Amino acid sequence: MFDRPDSGERAILVHINFQHQQENLDELKELAKSAATDPVYVVTGSRQRPDSKYFIGTGKLDELKAIVEEYEADVVLFNHPLSPSQERNLEKFLGVRVVDRNGLILDIFAQRAQSFEGKLQVELAQLKHLSTRLVRGWTHLERQKGGIGLRGPGETQLETDRRLLAVRIKQIQQRLDKVDKQRHQGRSQRKKAEVPTVSLVGYTNAGKSTLFNALTGADIYVADQLFATLDPTLRGYSLSNNTDIVLADTVGFIRHLPHELVAAFKSTLQEASEAELLLHVIDANAEDRDEIMHQVELVLEEIGADKIRRVEVFNKIDLLDNIQPHIDRDDEGHAIRVWMSAGTGAGIELLYQVLSEQFTSSKVKKRCYLKANQGEIRAKLSACAQILDEKIDDFGDSELLIEIDGKYLGLLSAVVTEDV
C-alpha cells in the first residue's frame, strides 16, 4: 500500500447519481474549496447501485485513474460515504489518497475548530471515524497465521492501535463530559434566572453568524464558505420590552451530517435542543431552498429539537428581485416568517419586533419588608426573583427591592410590599 500524504492540494471530484439517492455537486465543490483543496476535474456518472468493491464500475475506475495521472492529482474526493474496504481498494488502485464525504467534512471541522471544546469534539469524531478503518490497513505487515508462535507483527500493530484509540477516545469523552456539565450548569442558571435562550440554526453558509453579529454587535468570524464557524457563541441581549434573552449561534447543518459529528457535538447542539425559540436562518436565494429546509428539519429531529417553537428567517433577500423586508403571520396573527438581509441590515428591525412579541415580559418591581423570622420566604425569593437591593436593620428585618415575574407574586402574600 502507498504511503498516504499528509494533505492533498489538487483534487479530483467524483459525483455519481444513483436512482434513489441524489447528492448536490455544487455542494461538493464548496466543501472541496472549504477544505483548502483545488478542484481540477469533476468525474460524473450514473449507476443503479454502488459497486461493493470500488463503489464505481471498472470502466469508470479506469477513467478515474487516467484522469488522476493526467492532472497529477493528490487526492480524490467522493461525494458519497465509502465503506472502509472501498476506500482502501480505491487507494490501492489509484495510488493517491481517497477521501469520502464524511472524511471531507471531518477534515474541514478539524481546520476550523478554535476552542478547546471544539478541538476535542472534532478529534473524538475523527478517532471514531478512523476506528472503522483500521482493519487490514497495513498490507505490508505480516498477518496472523494462527497457532502459538505464529502470530505476526501485523496483528500486534492492529491490536495496539485499537487499544490506543480506545484509550484516547475514553480520555476525550471524559473531558467533554466535564465541559458538558459546565454547559448544563450555565443552562440551569439561565433557567433559574428565567432568561430564555434563542438559538440560531440552519444550513451551513445561510448567514447565521452574520445575523448574530448584526443582532448583538459581536465580532464572530464570517466568510462565504461552508462551516466558517464551529464553536458556539452566546451573548446576552435586551429586547425593547426590557426582557433579557440569550442568543446562541450554533454550528451549521448539512446533508447527511456524519453521525460521528452529531455525537461529538451533542453538548454544542444541546443549546438548540433546550432553547425556548429557534430562529431557522434560511438562504432565500438558494436554488434548492426547499430541500435545504427539509435537511435542517431532519437534523433538528435527530437532536430532539423538532418540537421547539421557531420563526423562519429568510435571509439574503438583497439577492432577490422585488422582495421587500416583511413579516408573514398565521391566521392568529403570530409571526412565522421574517424576510430580511443580515448583510445589509434591511428588515432587521422587523426581527427585533418579532423577538419582542415572542417574549412578552410580565416582570414587576416590588419593595418588600421581611421580618427576621421570614428567612424561608427570603430563600424562595432568591431562587425565583432578582434581588436588586437589600438593607438589613439592627433587628434583622430586611428591606428588599426585587424584580419578580407576575406568576410568583403569590410568594409575597405574607409579606408587606409596595409597588415601585
Side-chain angles (χ1 to χ4, degrees), residues 61 70 77 82 121 135 166 185 198 203 219 232 281-282 339 372:
L61 184 65
E70 178 183 353
L77 305 178
L82 301 174
Q121 289 169 327
V135 181
Q185 289 174 353
V198 178
Y203 212 72
D219 189 25
V281 184
I282 301 160
W339 296 77

Side-chain angles (χ1 to χ4, degrees), residues 70-247:
E70 178 183 353
Y71 286 88
E72 298 181 349
D74 304 298
V75 62
V76 175
L77 305 178
F78 274 74
N79 198 19
H80 317 270
L82 301 174
S83 70
S85 62
Q86 287 171 337
E87 190 174 296
R88 286 191 300 271
N89 292 336
L90 285 165
E91 288 183 333
K92 185 176 181 180
F93 187 89
L94 299 174
V96 296
R97 187 183 180 195
V98 173
V99 179
D100 69 355
R101 179 184 174 85
N102 290 356
L104 180 57
I105 294 175
L106 286 170
D107 184 78
I108 296 171
F109 271 58
Q111 293 181 39
R112 303 284 162 74
Q114 297 294 326
S115 70
F116 174 73
E117 179 188 8
K119 291 178 180 178
L120 284 178
Q121 289 169 327
V122 172
E123 184 180 356
L124 177 62
Q126 286 181 315
L127 291 177
K128 287 184 175 180
H129 184 72
L130 178 62
S131 65
T132 65
R133 283 155 163 73
L134 284 180
V135 181
R136 299 185 186 90
W138 290 266
T139 54
H140 61 287
L141 296 176
E142 184 182 351
R143 315 308 306 166
Q144 178 181 354
K145 299 292 195 301
I148 297 175
L150 297 178
R151 186 183 302 275
E155 183 68 18
T156 303
Q157 179 70 58
L158 289 176
E159 291 177 346
T160 301
D161 284 339
R162 286 199 192 99
R163 177 172 51 80
L164 292 175
L165 272 177
V167 170
R168 181 58 180 164
I169 288 174
K170 184 177 180 180
Q171 290 174 342
I172 295 175
Q173 192 62 64
Q174 289 173 343
R175 292 182 183 179
L176 283 175
D177 288 343
K178 291 182 180 179
V179 177
D180 188 34
K181 288 181 181 178
Q182 294 172 351
R183 284 192 174 278
H184 180 71
Q185 289 174 353
R187 285 190 290 266
S188 298
Q189 290 174 354
R190 293 199 297 271
K191 287 184 178 180
K192 181 179 177 180
E194 296 192 325
V195 178
T197 299
V198 178
S199 286
L200 277 65
V201 299
Y203 212 72
T204 180
N205 206 27
K208 295 184 302 301
S209 296
T210 302
L211 178 59
F212 186 87
N213 288 342
L215 288 172
T216 66
D219 189 25
I220 297 177
Y221 174 70
V222 174
D224 184 18
Q225 57 187 19
L226 305 186
F227 304 115
T229 53
L230 294 183
D231 301 307
T233 306
L234 284 76
R235 291 287 188 276
Y237 182 76
S238 294
L239 300 174
S240 58
N241 57 8
N242 295 322
T243 300
D244 293 329
I245 64 173
V246 171
L247 282 168

Side-chain angles (χ1 to χ4, degrees), residues 290-307:
D290 292 341
E291 171 62 19
I292 286 175
M293 292 172 65
H294 176 65
Q295 293 298 326
V296 172
E297 292 293 333
L298 293 178
V299 178
L300 289 175
E301 183 178 355
E302 187 170 357
I303 65 176
D306 54 317
K307 303 299 182 183

Side-chain angles (χ1 to χ4, degrees), residues 12-18 42-68 76-83 85-87 89-91 93-94 96 98-99:
I12 304 297
L13 310 185
V14 179
H15 175 79
I16 306 297
N17 287 317
F18 294 99
V42 179
V43 175
T44 61
S46 299
R47 284 184 64 87
Q48 290 292 326
R49 62 185 64 85
D51 179 75
S52 59
K53 185 174 183 180
Y54 291 111
F55 189 81
I56 55 179
T58 53
K60 186 64 66 174
L61 184 65
D62 291 334
E63 175 189 343
L64 178 58
K65 184 176 179 63
I67 292 171
V68 167
V76 175
L77 305 178
F78 274 74
N79 198 19
H80 317 270
L82 301 174
S83 70
S85 62
Q86 287 171 337
E87 190 174 296
N89 292 336
L90 285 165
E91 288 183 333
F93 187 89
L94 299 174
V96 296
V98 173
V99 179

